[in-house]
Amino acid sequence: MSREELEKRFQEKIDAEIKIEPKDWMPERYRRNLIRQISQHAHSEVVGMLPEGNWITRAPTLRRKVALLAKVQDEAGHGLYLYSAAETLGISREEMIEQLLSGKAKYSSIFNYPTLTWADIGAIGWLVDGAAIMNQVMLTRTSYGPYARAMVRICKEESFHQRQGYEIMLTLARGTEVQRQMAQDALNRWWWPALMMFGPSDKDSVHTAESMKWKIKRKTNDELRQQFVDVTVPQAEYLGLTIPDPDLKWNEARGHYDFGEIDWEEFWRVVKGNGPCNHLRMKARREAHEKGAWVREAALAYAEKRRQRQQQKAS
Amino acid sequence: MTQQEALFQYLLRLGDNALILGQRLSEWCGHAPVLEQDIAITNLALDLIGQARNWLTLAGEVEGKGRNEDQLAYLRDARDFHNLLLVEQPNEDWAHTIVRQFLFDQFNYLLHNELQHSTDERVAAIAAKSLKEIKYHLKYSSEWMVRLGDGTEESHNRMQRALDALWRYSSEAFLTDEIDQLMAEAGIGPDLHKLEPLYHQYVAQVLDEATLQPPTDTYMQRGGKQGLHTEFLGYILAEMQFLQRAYPNMQW
Ligand SMILES: [Fe+2]
Ligand SMILES: [Fe+2]
């Protein structure tokens, strides 16, 4: 079959909502686009453990400590499913981690902001997991089977994280004045970075058109961002907190909230590595990897010794 | 000392062991050698903190002064903590973490195995529930002892160094004081003297399989059970208790 014919059939399958599976033929660009996206997603889960992990040892009650530990552990699990999903496309986890540590692969910029107070843990759950859900619910219908199935599992946990984060915010907002201020300050600092999580505006997004054609993505960055704002504004109102955007207002004609312009200069600065924590996040991942090297080597060496001993016994 | 006072202290020992070790293990979350082990070590931390909550809640009830798990965890200073010195030792590397875990798990397993038959039903119930988790912890740490002891030359050397460093904290658990005695007499806790040979027997067996040498001629440190700790505990508490201390009397 000619290449054109293969590509035509591939697109027909996509259009007919038939999932693409690992053994199916796929255009090289589809495969590479997916590897990029899934591995970036996996790295985000793993790097995302760091800002919240920063508060595990300082969680204010034992109940909160257990909940936060379990949440960060879930993110490690998400990283694992996603690395496995990416491996079905013919790349190994080691290669992907190498790409992360060398700076070749990206991860979500949101995790390059610091968690300064306990309220940041609430704000991350509420806003960051909340924004992630918008994206991930869409991805449960993505065209690549293993990715879509990984997302179904992950989404259930993310919505739990979002509720948990919101509940922390609610407790603070209904607490003392100091706690309310802590919550407002966290919202002030996390709001705009959360909006940036959806990526560049559609007119500037290099991957969107192709990703939409192949149904890797099914909504554009701007559509998702709007959806997030529409859902989140009433939640902030219920908390009695103010979203730090003077241009935010309900637009009756559109049936959506209008909101102010994102600081794209900040967006690109953080993407390019100059956010407040980029170097610290990479340092932490690199250190964990390097300090763990002897453990991974020893585990392999021991497994090999055991295999040999069993073989000797058998013969 | 009344039996009730002794029981309160005894429950704090149980709760503080689980809490402080859980706190230490939680420091690994996000930093472990490989994702699968990040998840596994966090499971141990989660189990232990869960157990600590049960013990401390019961301790508060026994004390009868209206203190809950959080008031006990967050508002006591180092001198009022009763965990073993072993569990407050730093993570250092994966080798120290595993050796510390293994030396503790074997004791903790033997202890809970007895506590499930405690004459105090509340103690028996918590112990029985915890025992399932502790059995798994012991399996996990024993397997890692062997894997790393008998892995590469580097892993073997690291494990031996960790064992040499931590061995001095391995016997405190079995040093019986008035509280242990009162609890044993009441049938609430076990006679620790009977558990000690079992402990050493099992530890020796695993060390042998791991090709590690038990240190000889080590002075055994003590004091944690009575509230005399190493300098590490103060820092653990400073970190753990920060919010409750900086913002007193608030709901979180
Ligand atoms: Fe996640
Ligand atoms: Fe999450």
Side-chain angles (χ1 to χ4, degrees):
Chain A
M1 210 180 292
S2 77
R3 207 187 134 76
E4 286 72 30
E5 184 61 21
L6 284 166
E7 278 188 18
K8 189 169 153 277
R9 289 204 177 180
F10 176 79
Q11 191 62 47
E12 279 165 6
K13 254 167 114 177
I14 299 259
D15 294 341
E17 301 291 335
I18 297 168
K19 292 268 179 271
I20 306 301
E21 295 300 333
K23 291 202 166 62
D24 296 346
W25 185 89
M26 62 186 84
E28 186 55 19
R29 285 181 58 81
Y30 177 85
R31 198 180 67 87
R32 270 187 295 166
N33 188 329
L34 267 173
I35 287 179
R36 181 187 56 79
Q37 192 177 322
I38 302 174
S39 68
Q40 188 170 317
H41 194 161
H43 299 325
S44 301
E45 300 285 354
V46 174
V47 177
M49 296 168 74
L50 298 170
E52 289 184 281
N54 184 38
W55 278 89
I56 289 171
T57 58
R58 291 178 292 168
T61 68
L62 296 181
R63 182 174 82 90
R64 293 289 187 208
K65 189 188 289 291
V66 166
L68 182 56
L69 259 174
K71 191 223 179 205
V72 178
Q73 186 191 39
D74 284 347
E75 306 302 0
H78 299 172
L80 270 185
Y81 308 152
L82 286 163
Y83 282 128
S84 304
E87 282 184 323
T88 62
L89 292 158
I91 183 168
S92 70
R93 203 206 302 183
E94 291 70 39
E95 279 174 85
M96 287 184 269
I97 289 172
E98 204 40 62
Q99 290 175 354
L100 172 70
L101 298 180
S102 71
K104 194 179 157 228
K106 296 271 180 258
Y107 57 89
S108 178
S109 275
I110 192 78
F111 302 119
N112 291 318
Y113 290 86
T115 49
L116 302 178
T117 72
W118 171 251
D120 292 20
I121 301 308
I124 289 183
W126 173 35
L127 300 173
V128 176
D129 288 78
I133 290 166
M134 296 290 158
N135 195 35
Q136 291 175 170
V137 165
M138 166 191 81
L139 289 171
T140 59
R141 297 190 302 123
T142 193
S143 57
Y144 188 57
Y147 194 22
R149 289 189 288 272
M151 278 305 128
V152 172
R153 276 177 87 171
I154 289 175
C155 275
K156 284 187 195 133
E157 294 179 348
E158 298 296 7
S159 58
F160 184 69
H161 298 166
Q162 197 267 351
R163 282 204 300 278
Q164 200 168 275
Y166 191 71
E167 203 255 317
I168 291 176
M169 292 302 274
L170 192 60
T171 307
L172 295 174
R174 304 265 156 96
T176 63
E177 182 53 25
V178 184
Q179 288 174 306
R180 206 198 60 79
Q181 281 172 14
M182 202 185 265
Q184 180 64 56
D185 170 63
L187 173 57
N188 292 349
R189 284 181 289 110
W190 290 95
W191 174 254
W192 290 106
L195 292 194
M196 292 178 201
M197 282 175 71
F198 298 97
S201 181
D202 295 346
K203 58 187 191 310
D204 303 315
S205 176
V206 283
H207 301 293
T208 295
E210 203 169 47
S211 294
M212 297 284 283
K213 182 183 107 192
W214 284 332
K215 296 189 180 170
I216 295 175
K217 295 181 68 156
R218 314 191 62 128
K219 288 179 181 176
T220 69
N221 296 352
D222 288 333
E223 281 168 355
L224 288 166
R225 191 165 14 241
Q226 181 70 59
Q227 194 184 341
F228 174 73
V229 171
D230 290 347
V231 168
T232 310
V233 172
Q235 295 173 350
E237 280 167 3
Y238 185 74
L239 292 174
L241 299 177
T242 309
I243 288 176
D245 179 357
D247 299 322
L248 185 78
K249 62 171 185 298
W250 178 251
N251 182 326
E252 195 66 56
R254 287 207 307 129
H256 292 291
Y257 282 94
D258 290 338
F259 54 97
E261 185 67 15
I262 285 171
D263 180 352
W264 294 111
E265 201 253 325
E266 173 180 333
F267 174 84
W268 290 112
R269 182 170 72 239
V270 182
V271 169
K272 285 178 182 139
N274 295 315
C277 298
N278 295 62
H279 65 294
L280 293 172
R281 301 298 183 230
M282 290 314 294
K283 180 168 176 273
R285 283 319 308 157
R286 217 173 286 130
E287 271 176 16
H289 191 71
E290 284 164 10
K291 286 182 181 165
W294 70 270
V295 179
R296 297 189 300 272
E297 280 159 25
L300 283 176
Y302 177 74
E304 178 59 22
K305 274 188 202 177
R306 254 182 77 139
R307 199 185 57 79
Q308 285 180 4
R309 279 175 207 155
Q310 267 160 4
Q311 248 174 17
Q312 272 167 9
K313 251 193 237 162
S315 63
Chain B
M1 188 181 291
T2 67
Q3 187 179 311
Q4 189 203 359
E5 284 163 354
L7 178 57
F8 173 61
Q9 297 279 320
Y10 194 73
L11 292 168
L12 289 181
R13 289 176 182 183
L14 286 162
D16 292 347
N17 278 340
L19 177 60
I20 299 300
L21 186 56
Q23 175 78 1
R24 275 295 191 212
L25 292 177
S26 73
E27 293 170 21
W28 273 110
C29 186
H31 305 276
V34 64
L35 267 182
E36 286 84 346
Q37 299 313 316
D38 209 301
I39 291 170
I41 205 79
T42 302
N43 265 335
L44 265 60
L46 280 166
D47 287 347
L48 286 163
I49 295 168
Q51 292 167 20
R53 295 180 69 185
N54 292 332
W55 291 124
L56 293 178
T57 299
L58 180 56
E61 283 167 25
V62 167
E63 187 195 30
K65 290 183 184 166
R67 289 204 276 182
N68 63 24
E69 59 179 44
D70 288 325
Q71 283 156 330
L72 287 169
Y74 289 89
L75 301 175
R76 278 179 298 149
D77 201 350
R79 295 284 280 113
D80 295 320
F81 267 75
H82 296 279
N83 57 279
L84 298 169
L85 299 176
L86 177 65
V87 299
E88 69 200 38
Q89 299 310 303
N91 292 342
E92 302 279 355
D93 61 0
W94 193 251
H96 281 75
T97 298
I98 292 298
V99 170
R100 182 186 64 198
Q101 193 65 37
F102 169 70
L103 292 175
F104 178 72
D105 286 342
Q106 176 57 18
F107 159 71
N108 211 28
Y109 164 70
L110 292 168
L111 177 64
H112 282 73
N113 203 28
E114 297 293 324
L115 286 177
Q116 66 174 329
H117 307 300
S118 173
T119 53
D120 187 314
E121 283 173 16
R122 299 164 300 177
V123 172
I126 298 175
K129 190 168 167 285
S130 311
L131 186 61
K132 293 188 195 109
E133 296 166 348
I134 294 166
K135 276 183 187 164
Y136 169 76
H137 300 181
L138 179 61
K139 180 171 181 287
Y140 177 83
S141 60
S142 301
E143 283 171 3
W144 272 104
M145 287 295 289
V146 174
R147 191 175 291 134
L148 295 176
D150 191 21
T152 60
E153 195 185 334
E154 181 180 4
S155 72
H156 176 86
N157 292 340
R158 280 176 182 266
M159 290 298 277
Q160 187 63 54
R161 278 204 297 278
L163 188 62
D164 293 347
L166 292 166
W167 191 251
R168 58 176 57 85
Y169 301 113
S170 64
S171 280
E172 185 196 357
F174 299 101
L175 296 174
T176 303
D177 68 359
E178 192 196 348
I179 291 168
D180 294 316
Q181 234 156 26
L182 278 167
M183 289 299 102
E185 280 161 18
I188 295 174
D191 179 354
L192 294 172
H193 291 119
K194 286 191 187 150
L195 302 185
E196 195 171 8
L198 296 171
Y199 179 82
H200 287 295
Q201 193 188 325
Y202 179 75
V203 168
Q205 194 186 311
V206 172
L207 292 186
D208 182 59
E209 204 188 330
T211 72
L212 295 168
Q213 293 296 321
T216 49
D217 211 17
T218 306
Y219 178 78
M220 289 297 174
Q221 296 293 333
R222 59 195 69 186
K225 284 164 75 167
Q226 292 80 26
L228 283 168
H229 292 273
T230 57
E231 291 175 346
F232 299 114
L233 185 65
Y235 290 94
I236 294 175
L237 298 184
E239 189 172 343
M240 183 174 82
Q241 299 178 339
F242 156 69
L243 275 165
Q244 291 281 358
R245 300 291 194 180
Y247 303 94
N249 303 316
M250 296 184 196
Q251 300 300 312
W252 298 92

